[in-house]
Amino acid sequence: MKRIFTLCLFLCISYSFSQENLTYQKPHQNILELAEAPLAPSIRMDSKGDNIVFLFRSNYKTIEELSETELRLGGLRINPVTNIGSRTRYYTDIKVKNGKGSEPQTITGLPENGRYANFSWSPDQKYMTFTNTVSNGAELWLLDVLNASTKKITNANLNANMGDPVTWFKDSESMLVKMLPKDREPLINTKEAIPTGPTVSVSEAGVKAQNRTYQDLLKNKNDEHNFEQLAKSEIYKINLDGSKTLWKTSDMYRGLSFSPNGKYIMITTINKPFSYLVPYYRFPSASTIYKSNGDKVKTVLEVPLIEDLPKGFMAERKGKRDFTWRNDKPATLVWAEVLDGGDPANEVPYRDEVFQQEAPFDGPAKSILKTKDRFSGIIWGNDNIAVAYDYWWNTRNSRTYVFNPSKPNDVKILFDRNYQDRYNDPGSFVTTKNEFNEYVLDLDNNSAYLIGDGYSNEGKFPFVDELNLETKKTNRLYQSQLTDKVEDISSALDAKKGEFVVRIESKNEYPNYYIRNIKKRIGLIPLTQFENPFKSIQDVEKQVINYKRDDGLDLSATLYLPTDYEAGKKYPMIMWAYPREYKDKNSAGQNTSSSNEFTYPYYGSPIYWVTRGYVVLDDAAFPIVGEGDEEPNDSFIKQLVANGKAAIDAVDDMGYIDRDRVAVGGHSYGAFMTANLLSHSNLFAAGIARSGAYNRTLTPFGFQSEERNYWEAPEIYYNMSPFMHADTMKTPLLLIHGEADNNSGTYPLQSERYFNALKGLGAPVRLVMLPKESHGYAAKESIMHMLWEQDQWLEQHVKNKAEVKAPEESMKD
């Protein structure tokens, strides 16, 4: 009788999927317990490892927070009442640990019910500024790290609409702060405003503007007005005691950056005309150099509206770009310029050239480097040594150069490699602070240090290398020997002394930070002592499995067995994945997962379902490979299905699962993957697709890693679109999407139209639109309901699948 009642109750819940106006639900208690487990704090550590600031926050926002006033303008999402990003994730408590052996202590002076963001160290790392958002705006607060005390230094009149409003002076005694201007005009209520005419956009003949489908763009003159008012600030110089003086009058300030010696500051402002096609960071702008007292020196860069770049991911605009300060010099500007006209289709020996110009910025610019591919940055060392990088997306290639800034022809290539090849990654250069408190290469004569992840077929064993920049020979100073745990080398405190900060975890031990001395070989010095909040799954059986695709490509995934696992019993399975594109099979077949990594069930994870009697296959490898002239997407569907079949075969061969009860799921491009797998195979009992795109003709100028436009490759766009194959989709599919999705290409319309197509063709499908949610979900109410929806869907269509069909071919006709 009890079983009959339970079955009836389950069917009622199942059939209730058709009801409208469903209130927020909570998932099964096993899932809820994990989802509500408290987060460990984030940490901000000074460069010496002496002082650590612990930042605490809730796992989730609330739907009430997400319902606060929001304007979406020029690619920004702004709360016009508080003048800070409307999607800001706030911290609610702060603690400080002074000294390596001390305990975190409570901060004095913090406001009640604080909402903290925009934390910024002072150059001497004695202080930290942060914003506190109150009902009518954002305040600036100062944390005295050594004394563990705080104080408010401005009222709620900051302008944090375009990020952190604070830029520290180099003396750590004062800062430049963006504040609301006196000349701000009232905002226009665009919902109530009476139009004065139509909105007209014009395209000139022959001028191509092949832009991605950006969201939250300006739409009309009212939006332009509101964007300008929200972007405008006055800049004040504010001292540690809170005293302030006006430093710059009202303008649309985008970025501020002091020269290393603190005598100059580069300020970038946004100019008109605005655009309805691209976000604010492609609006016209100007970069001007001022003295630290505010006197203008020179406008060094004026950038026009960027709407019409050449086609391709490696396209770049003409003229000066990537303006930065040279970290090892008092006041020297550095920038790059294209040598190929910014068009990737042009074949040239060098793509970019790098220049520098010393203060007072009126002399000739000096060429210091040419790069074979697109320039991507420099780590400065001294007068004679610097390291630069370039890359080329189409070949997945990257070069690392060592060069002499004083002798432009003194250039050597240190590494020339496929950046997707993780097994042969040489690592990242160690930096240290110089006399200007700027990060530069940590050099020992001609030698530098590298920290690497150390991935290989045998696992992950991070290392520290010493590299002679003259001979290019390396000496391995340290390599982790941990076999039952995972170690990451986070940073160097003093590479010459052998002091490094490491993070160590295991599958049931929460990640914690330590100081490891690789020279003295003394014991680890603990910096944090975070406890495992997920006790209920700490002993779950977990392993990284390796298997092959039918074409011989090596694949891997992380397999979890149910918490109530019994040997010999066959279980339903949920597989979660995200496709990635590669240009060679060697890189595509590499494994970067470890069974010793901590098992962390974040909000979008499938790990919760080990507590509900499912085998979970997480992070299943779904490589899409296109070698030589072939693009990965030329055989996307075939490779996608082959990846899915290989994964199921591998777990089935281990005897763990009933292969007729397997679900597949994914988020974003993983949702796109899921819909395609259900459309083109009979491998799965059900699918879960969150925040995806399903009709690629709605993203005609490229998507994900596809840079060909629709008119160049219409068959690719058609074949890869699940919407176009809705008539072949008969497998139950749960679609979930945030109503306020801001991700390029994944408009909520994508899920709505796909649902309508499937419903019209009689496919079993359910669409859940989460109010106020963006591409990633934030509100507790939304996430708990999402987990409930997924659990109900899996219970109905996978665990309690109504009928078991006869085995069919994996590919549909």
Side-chain angles (χ1 to χ4, degrees):
M1 187 69 182
K2 184 176 180 181
R3 284 186 175 182
I4 295 174
F5 174 79
T6 302
L7 177 61
C8 292
L9 178 62
F10 175 76
L11 290 174
C12 289
I13 293 175
S14 301
Y15 293 139
S16 74
F17 275 129
S18 62
Q19 73 182 20
E20 297 180 356
N21 301 319
L22 184 68
T23 58
Y24 288 114
Q25 302 293 306
K26 290 184 179 181
H28 188 277
Q29 183 61 34
N30 291 1
I31 297 175
L32 187 65
E33 178 185 339
L34 292 171
E36 291 186 329
L39 284 175
S42 300
I43 65 171
R44 303 282 197 277
M45 187 184 304
D46 68 18
S47 59
K48 296 180 180 179
D50 291 331
N51 302 300
I52 302 177
V53 177
F54 294 81
L55 306 177
F56 298 80
R57 72 179 180 196
S58 170
N59 298 30
Y60 314 105
K61 296 171 80 76
T62 65
I63 198 66
E64 183 180 6
E65 288 178 282
L66 288 190
S67 300
E68 293 177 354
T69 306
E70 179 179 75
L71 293 181
R72 304 171 190 174
L73 301 168
L76 294 171
R77 293 190 168 187
I78 294 169
N79 184 326
V81 177
T82 57
N83 291 290
I84 193 169
S86 55
R87 302 281 164 161
T88 301
R89 293 297 303 270
Y90 293 110
Y91 295 95
T92 55
D93 195 13
I94 309 171
K95 292 185 178 180
V96 166
K97 177 180 176 180
N98 299 123
K100 296 181 177 65
S102 64
E103 295 293 325
Q105 58 181 312
T106 301
I107 302 291
T108 60
L110 282 173
E112 293 185 5
N113 302 316
R115 297 200 292 172
Y116 314 130
N118 298 305
F119 288 82
S120 178
W121 283 106
S122 62
D124 63 8
Q125 297 187 323
K126 293 180 180 178
Y127 303 99
M128 185 178 276
T129 51
F130 61 94
T131 58
N132 177 44
T133 301
V134 293
S135 60
N136 63 335
E139 310 164 333
L140 183 63
W141 283 67
L142 181 72
L143 167 63
D144 184 330
V145 176
L146 298 180
N147 292 315
S149 63
T150 60
K151 64 178 180 181
K152 185 172 75 171
I153 56 176
T154 76
N155 293 322
N157 55 356
L158 298 186
N159 187 345
N161 289 329
M162 303 186 75
D164 192 344
V166 176
T167 303
W168 280 91
F169 277 85
K170 301 293 286 192
D171 62 4
S172 298
E173 295 293 328
S174 53
M175 62 214 78
L176 294 178
V177 181
K178 291 189 286 186
M179 307 188 77
L180 301 181
K182 299 181 182 64
D183 65 350
R184 174 185 277 193
E185 299 175 15
L187 300 181
I188 296 172
N189 187 329
T190 55
K191 293 182 179 180
E192 298 179 359
I194 298 174
T196 58
T199 299
V200 179
S201 299
V202 176
S203 174
E204 298 180 11
V207 179
K208 297 180 179 180
Q210 298 189 14
N211 297 298
R212 292 245 166 166
T213 49
Y214 297 109
Q215 305 221 43
D216 299 340
L217 299 178
L218 303 182
K219 298 180 180 64
N220 50 50
K221 289 295 182 181
N222 291 338
D223 280 354
E224 290 190 50
H225 169 86
N226 288 345
F227 175 84
E228 181 176 4
Q229 301 311 309
L230 292 167
K232 287 169 65 175
S233 303
E234 293 174 338
I235 300 179
Y236 280 81
K237 180 179 181 180
I238 300 181
N239 300 318
L240 296 179
D241 62 4
S243 60
K244 65 180 183 180
T245 55
L246 181 65
W247 194 83
K248 273 283 166 282
T249 56
S250 179
D251 208 335
M252 290 182 285
Y253 298 107
R254 198 180 81 184
L256 292 79
S257 173
F258 273 103
S259 63
N261 66 1
K263 292 184 178 181
Y264 299 94
I265 184 169
M266 179 166 54
I267 298 180
T268 301
T269 54
I270 297 172
N271 296 329
K272 295 180 179 180
F274 299 148
S275 171
Y276 297 174
L277 293 178
V278 294
Y280 77 95
Y281 50 82
R282 291 175 63 175
F283 292 177
S285 65
S287 295
T288 303
I289 306 297
Y290 297 89
K291 293 181 180 178
S292 59
N293 63 4
D295 293 343
K296 181 179 177 179
V297 177
K298 182 183 180 181
T299 297
V300 294
L301 178 64
E302 291 184 287
V303 180
L305 177 64
I306 309 170
E307 284 187 343
D308 53 355
L309 289 174
K311 185 175 72 70
F313 292 158
M314 299 314 299
E316 190 52 85
R317 65 175 177 81
K318 296 179 182 178
K320 302 175 181 179
R321 74 173 200 278
D322 297 339
F323 258 80
T324 58
W325 296 103
R326 183 171 163 175
N327 286 10
D328 64 329
K329 290 290 185 179
T332 296
L333 285 172
V334 182
W335 67 89
E337 297 184 35
V338 296
L339 296 174
D340 59 1
D343 189 344
N346 294 333
E347 294 294 335
V348 294
Y350 296 96
R351 293 283 180 182
D352 281 347
E353 187 169 10
V354 182
F355 297 87
Q356 71 175 27
Q357 186 180 47
E358 298 178 356
F361 320 108
D362 54 5
K366 177 184 176 183
S367 173
I368 58 173
L369 180 68
K370 290 182 180 179
T371 58
K372 294 181 180 294
D373 285 328
R374 195 65 75 212
F375 169 75
S376 62
I378 294 178
I379 305 176
W380 297 100
N382 55 38
D383 286 338
N384 303 315
I385 297 177
V387 169
Y389 299 90
D390 73 9
Y391 78 107
W392 200 248
W393 179 86
N394 306 74
T395 58
R396 311 301 199 270
N397 196 76
S398 175
R399 292 182 190 84
T400 304
Y401 304 82
V402 61
F403 71 102
N404 186 333
S406 303
K407 298 177 181 179
N409 295 322
D410 188 359
V411 181
K412 290 192 291 289
I413 295 177
L414 290 174
F415 311 114
D416 188 342
R417 56 182 298 273
N418 181 332
Y419 60 73
Q420 290 185 317
D421 180 1
R422 301 298 299 278
Y423 286 3
N424 294 293
D425 188 343
S428 302
F429 283 95
V430 173
T431 59
T432 187
K433 281 196 167 187
N434 63 7
E435 67 271 25
F436 303 120
N437 269 321
E438 301 288 347
Y439 283 98
V440 295
L441 285 171
D442 193 346
L443 296 170
D444 188 357
N445 295 320
N446 285 328
S447 293
Y449 302 95
L450 290 161
I451 295 174
D453 290 325
Y455 288 112
S456 70
N457 282 321
E458 289 71 42
K460 179 181 180 182
F461 302 97
F463 61 83
V464 179
D465 279 352
E466 185 177 23
L467 170 65
N468 187 305
L469 299 173
E470 186 66 33
T471 66
K472 297 196 281 188
K473 292 183 178 180
T474 60
N475 174 33
R476 183 136 301 177
L477 302 177
Y478 171 77
Q479 184 149 23
S480 177
Q481 301 298 314
L482 298 180
T483 57
D484 59 341
K485 298 183 180 183
V486 173
E487 179 176 9
D488 285 287
I489 303 174
S490 302
S491 61
L493 298 179
D494 192 325
K496 295 181 182 65
K497 292 182 179 179
E499 289 187 348
F500 292 84
V501 175
V502 300
R503 190 182 76 165
I504 297 176
E505 63 188 277
S506 73
K507 65 180 181 181
N508 54 19
E509 292 180 11
Y510 200 90
N512 275 288
Y513 292 87
Y514 306 83
I515 295 176
R516 181 188 289 282
N517 193 306
I518 65 173
K519 289 187 175 181
K520 295 182 180 180
R521 309 290 181 177
I522 59 178
L524 295 169
I525 300 174
L527 295 174
T528 62
Q529 296 179 336
F530 303 138
E531 294 290 332
N532 180 1
F534 308 113
K535 300 289 187 182
S536 64
I537 59 171
Q538 69 176 4
D539 296 322
V540 67
E541 180 65 29
K542 172 184 179 181
Q543 59 179 305
V544 173
I545 62 171
N546 297 288
Y547 50 98
K548 288 185 181 294
R549 204 164 71 179
D550 56 11
D551 61 356
L553 184 65
D554 291 323
L555 301 177
S556 63
T558 304
L559 177 71
Y560 301 83
L561 297 184
T563 52
D564 61 353
Y565 173 71
E566 297 178 16
K569 184 177 178 181
K570 292 185 180 293
Y571 292 85
M573 182 172 81
I574 171 71
M575 177 197 306
W576 207 262
Y578 189 96
R580 288 177 171 81
E581 297 84 355
Y582 296 86
K583 289 298 290 180
D584 72 296
K585 290 183 177 179
N586 177 60
S587 299
Q590 293 179 355
N591 172 33
T592 57
S593 298
S594 170
S595 59
N596 293 322
E597 291 175 340
F598 180 71
T599 304
Y600 185 86
Y602 67 95
Y603 89 87
S605 167
I607 305 299
Y608 300 102
W609 277 271
V610 297
T611 69
R612 298 283 284 139
Y614 292 80
V615 170
V616 173
L617 194 69
D618 194 20
D619 198 21
F622 266 71
I624 309 296
V625 185
E627 295 188 304
D629 294 333
E630 182 183 354
E631 291 296 324
N633 286 342
D634 292 347
S635 55
F636 179 86
I637 299 299
K638 180 180 178 181
Q639 293 192 61
L640 203 69
V641 174
N643 291 329
K645 181 177 183 301
I648 294 174
D649 287 346
V651 185
D652 187 28
D653 288 345
M654 299 172 77
Y656 293 137
I657 61 169
D658 173 359
R659 67 179 301 139
D660 290 320
R661 294 188 296 156
V662 176
V664 64
H667 190 96
S668 193
Y669 208 55
F672 175 72
M673 170 204 75
T674 297
N676 267 311
L677 283 169
L678 301 191
S679 298
H680 298 285
S681 78
N682 293 309
L683 293 167
F684 301 98
I688 298 171
R690 296 196 313 244
S691 298
Y694 309 102
N695 184 349
R696 285 307 173 190
T697 68
L698 298 178
T699 55
F701 291 110
F703 58 89
Q704 198 72 4
S705 293
E706 179 58 66
E707 61 178 358
R708 293 169 292 187
N709 66 41
Y710 169 77
W711 295 271
E712 292 174 314
E715 70 287 352
I716 298 297
Y717 279 70
Y718 180 89
N719 291 334
M720 290 181 65
S721 294
F723 181 88
M724 305 302 180
H725 306 282
D727 58 329
T728 70
M729 228 289 286
K730 306 302 179 185
T731 307
L733 176 62
L734 173 62
L735 294 168
I736 302 176
H737 215 120
E739 286 185 350
D741 194 326
N742 66 331
N743 185 54
S744 175
T746 54
Y747 293 105
L749 179 69
Q750 289 272 3
S751 287
E752 293 168 347
R753 290 292 179 262
Y754 187 40
F755 170 79
N756 288 340
L758 293 172
K759 181 178 175 62
L761 293 166
V765 61
R766 176 175 173 84
L767 173 64
V768 179
M769 301 298 292
L770 299 174
K772 311 293 181 179
E773 292 293 349
S774 188
H775 191 62
Y777 314 146
K780 182 176 183 179
E781 293 87 343
S782 302
I783 291 169
M784 296 304 159
H785 185 85
M786 176 201 77
L787 294 173
W788 178 82
E789 291 277 4
Q790 293 180 172
D791 189 49
Q792 298 299 312
W793 194 254
L794 293 171
E795 290 292 294
Q796 178 184 7
H797 295 291
V798 182
K799 182 186 288 186
N800 298 287
K801 185 179 176 182
E803 60 182 30
V804 179
K805 298 180 181 179
E808 301 178 56
E809 294 296 324
S810 62
M811 283 289 289
K812 290 184 177 179
D813 294 332

